[in-house]
Amino acid sequence: MESIFANRFKRFRKSLDLTQVELAKVAGLSQANITAWESGKKGTKPSRESLIKLQKAFDWLDIDWLLDGAGQMKIEKQVIAEEPHVEYIFE
């Protein structure tokens, strides 16, 4: 029986339109791990190191969503307006 995590992970991979092999190469992970995570056997989940690799490869991925289902898959990036550059000239 697949776990909720396994379903979310598979949904993430399929949203990228990548095979397990392709995702492994892009993220620097092993295909065996990805297969195990998607199978959901014995509550298999990524290690902290694997999560860091995923976050580096896909900076928009919300790890909280992946692990707990909290929030959305994609993090909405907020653009912070920079203050205008002002130069003062004193004579």
Side-chain angles (χ1 to χ4, degrees), residues 4 8 12 15-16 20 29 31 36 40 42-43 49 51 64-66 75 78-80 86 91:
I4 294 169
R8 275 194 301 273
F12 157 68
S15 77
L16 299 169
Q20 290 181 351
L29 300 166
Q31 182 193 356
K42 299 180 184 176
E49 180 180 304
L51 290 172
D64 290 332
W65 172 83
L66 188 61
I75 296 172
Q78 295 181 353
V79 177
I80 300 172
V86 178
E91 292 184 28

Side-chain angles (χ1 to χ4, degrees), residues 24-54:
K25 286 181 182 178
V26 170
L29 300 166
S30 74
Q31 182 193 356
N33 281 343
I34 291 171
T35 300
W37 301 334
E38 287 190 5
S39 73
K41 292 180 183 175
K42 299 180 184 176
T44 306
K45 291 187 181 178
S47 66
R48 186 170 195 271
E49 180 180 304
S50 294
L51 290 172
I52 290 169
K53 287 181 179 183
L54 282 169

Side-chain angles (χ1 to χ4, degrees), residues 62-80:
D62 186 341
I63 297 298
D64 290 332
W65 172 83
L66 188 61
L67 293 175
D68 305 322
Q72 301 293 318
M73 181 190 310
K74 295 182 179 181
I75 296 172
E76 294 292 326
K77 299 221 178 217
Q78 295 181 353
V79 177
I80 300 172

